Amino acid sequence: MSNRYLFTSESVSMGHPDKVADQISDAILDLILSHDAEGRCACETLVTTGQVVVAGEIKFVHNHKKPFDVQQTVRDAIARTGYNDAAMGFDARGCGILNLLHEQSADIARGVVRKSKRAQGAGDQGMMFGFACRESERFMPLPIDMAHRLVELQATAREKGTIEGIRPDAKSQVTFEYEGIEPKRVETVVLSTQHAPMWNGEKRQAELKAAITQHVIKPVLGKWWHDGVKVFVNPTGQFEIGGPHGDCGLTGRKIIVDTYGGRGRHGGGAFSGKDPSKVDRSAAYMARYIAKNIVAAKLAAVCEVQLAYAIGVAEPVSVLVDTQGTGTIGDALLSKIVRDHFNLTPFGLIEQLKLRAPIYSPTARHGHFGREPGEEGKGTFTWERIDLVSALRKSASKSVAKSTTATKPSTKRAVAAV
């Protein structure tokens, strides 16, 4: 019996209201870290028609003297998303900003701060997941990878004027047909893009669909494009009212968009606005780093990593590697190798991935994973490096050789596979 099925993932653009909120929260985090590399931040943002509310906790570990302007930071972040015209109902220059940030709770700080940085505890309890597979060059599932690229190219077309009159808010969705774990063909593509009044009306929407298909959808699909792809562009008929004017936006509401499009599991904690002492973020980045290096080392075709922590405790309470039956060695053995090669304490996560720098604003658009290391500037997306491939393969070979008798044929095959 054929094991064929359809799988769908979605993405949203930098101008989607929830993503606007994420970008503001991460801009404030970067502001904190630019003043104090060990600063703490847990910032939540709400955006709606003509208004921004920022709230949460911040803490400076070291004294700072540079000017600290939350209002300007918020306006600059909004401007980068493309909302620079009052006609959209939300713009960087005219919106009101309510700043409700306050000092971090002493009880939370007590769990994180230690006399020795190496003994730093986790900022909260929780479990975090990382995922990687061989479906794309970025080691990401193809549906979410293409969904990200669609809204990314929509933003480029807007910024360059390739398609006149499109606005910042957009959503994409890609459906692939799979057989087992192998993607076979693109079934459906959806792209809804906010636009100026010039595109209203059935005839103009048909012209917009043709332009979006030519300049966005076909270039992203590349070799996967075929004449049978079902394409929907603005399927409601028009999308003039959008962004925070059309829908309230909140930080942390697009966690599946931020990760693997539903293909890998999610621990539940959002990323944006949180400094790296919060393992919701730093451990999720580390789990991706581990999974990607395992797949890049050809120790598995698919890999999901789970890390779990208790608040105030440095070492993870559990480490699990799941290769979903594709591993060249056992998952338990891989879990042991992971503990040997990765420092999974909060201090270790931060140091190995260099997470104290103000690198977070770019992560809040077009996905936190499947990006090139340094794509948005030096120091960003360090969790996308594949610099431990040789070390992991070497350890896997040694572990297999030690764990079984070399004279058995099965052992020889296992060693050869590694």
Side-chain angles (χ1 to χ4, degrees), residues 75-232:
R75 295 192 191 283
D76 289 345
I78 295 168
R80 288 192 294 270
T81 67
Y83 289 107
N84 49 26
D85 184 348
M88 299 184 203
F90 185 80
D91 74 290
R93 291 168 293 183
C95 67
I97 300 170
L98 179 60
N99 178 7
L100 300 177
L101 292 167
H102 59 84
E103 179 123 355
Q104 184 185 51
S105 158
D107 288 342
I108 294 175
R110 187 178 295 113
V112 175
V113 178
R114 293 286 189 271
K115 289 182 180 180
S116 168
K117 291 181 182 179
R118 294 181 181 276
Q120 176 182 322
D124 201 353
Q125 70 176 46
M127 66 284 188
M128 299 81 204
F129 291 91
F131 183 85
C133 62
R134 293 182 188 168
E135 290 178 24
S136 70
E137 292 180 356
R138 297 178 177 88
F139 296 91
M140 290 286 284
L142 273 169
I144 187 65
D145 186 54
M146 286 195 174
H148 285 326
R149 303 291 79 77
L150 286 168
V151 292
E152 187 176 46
L153 194 51
Q154 183 271 353
T156 300
R158 170 179 59 82
E159 291 166 351
K160 292 185 175 180
T162 306
I163 302 174
E164 184 184 0
I166 58 174
R167 288 177 171 176
D169 194 359
K171 300 180 76 171
S172 65
Q173 188 170 283
V174 179
T175 301
F176 260 85
E177 181 183 38
Y178 281 78
E179 184 170 10
I181 63 170
E182 296 295 327
K184 294 299 181 180
R185 66 194 294 271
V186 178
E187 177 77 10
T188 306
V189 174
V190 182
L191 202 154
S192 296
T193 178
Q194 184 189 13
H195 57 76
M198 62 177 286
W199 292 109
N200 289 343
E202 186 175 342
K203 181 180 178 182
R204 293 296 281 153
Q205 282 290 308
E207 293 171 353
L208 180 59
K209 177 179 179 179
I212 291 290
T213 302
Q214 177 185 349
H215 295 292
V216 179
I217 295 175
K218 284 186 176 180
V220 169
L221 264 59
K223 68 177 183 180
W224 291 97
W225 172 263
H226 59 89
D227 291 340
V229 176
K230 299 172 187 173
V231 175
F232 297 95

Side-chain angles (χ1 to χ4, degrees), residues 404-413:
T404 54
T405 305
T407 56
K408 291 182 180 180
S410 60
T411 303
K412 293 178 180 178
R413 286 195 296 271

Side-chain angles (χ1 to χ4, degrees), residues 38 112 114 116-123 276-277 279 282 286 309 313-315 343-356:
E38 296 185 33
V112 175
R114 293 286 189 271
S116 168
K117 291 181 182 179
R118 294 181 181 276
Q120 176 182 322
S277 74
V279 287
S282 54
M286 178 59 83
Y309 293 84
V313 179
E315 291 290 341
N343 184 342
L344 301 178
T345 66
F347 175 83
L349 307 178
I350 292 168
E351 289 299 306
Q352 189 161 9
L353 298 179
K354 304 184 187 308
L355 298 179
R356 295 195 190 279

Side-chain angles (χ1 to χ4, degrees), residues 236-407:
T236 62
Q238 87 180 37
F239 185 9
E240 179 186 346
I241 302 171
H245 180 51
D247 191 11
C248 180
L250 293 171
T251 301
R253 282 207 301 202
K254 287 293 177 282
I255 59 176
I256 300 303
V257 169
D258 284 345
T259 53
Y260 309 101
R263 177 71 181 280
R265 285 175 285 190
H266 195 293
F271 301 151
S272 289
K274 295 179 181 177
D275 74 79
S277 74
K278 278 75 171 175
V279 287
D280 277 347
R281 184 171 213 162
S282 54
Y285 288 176
M286 178 59 83
R288 162 64 176 176
Y289 181 47
I290 294 167
K292 185 174 181 180
N293 274 272
I294 287 172
V295 174
K298 299 184 178 178
L299 298 177
V302 177
C303 183
E304 185 176 74
V305 174
Q306 186 201 52
L307 305 175
Y309 293 84
I311 188 168
V313 179
E315 291 290 341
V317 297
S318 68
V319 178
L320 175 67
V321 176
D322 180 8
T323 60
Q324 301 176 12
T326 69
T328 60
I329 63 174
D331 290 349
L333 197 53
L334 271 175
S335 296
K336 182 180 182 302
I337 291 170
V338 165
R339 282 189 176 271
D340 291 340
H341 283 276
F342 299 88
N343 184 342
L344 301 178
T345 66
F347 175 83
L349 307 178
I350 292 168
E351 289 299 306
Q352 189 161 9
L353 298 179
K354 304 184 187 308
L355 298 179
R356 295 195 190 279
I359 60 171
Y360 295 99
S361 292
T363 68
R365 55 183 181 266
H366 309 143
H368 292 246
F369 307 117
R371 314 278 291 276
E372 292 297 321
E375 179 181 315
E376 301 277 351
K378 186 177 180 181
T380 53
F381 305 108
T382 53
W383 48 94
E384 293 296 322
R385 298 175 305 185
I386 48 173
D387 52 350
L388 291 178
V389 167
S390 297
L392 291 176
R393 287 181 60 83
K394 186 176 180 179
S395 288
S397 295
K398 287 182 178 179
S399 297
V400 169
K402 287 180 180 179
S403 63
T404 54
T405 305
T407 56

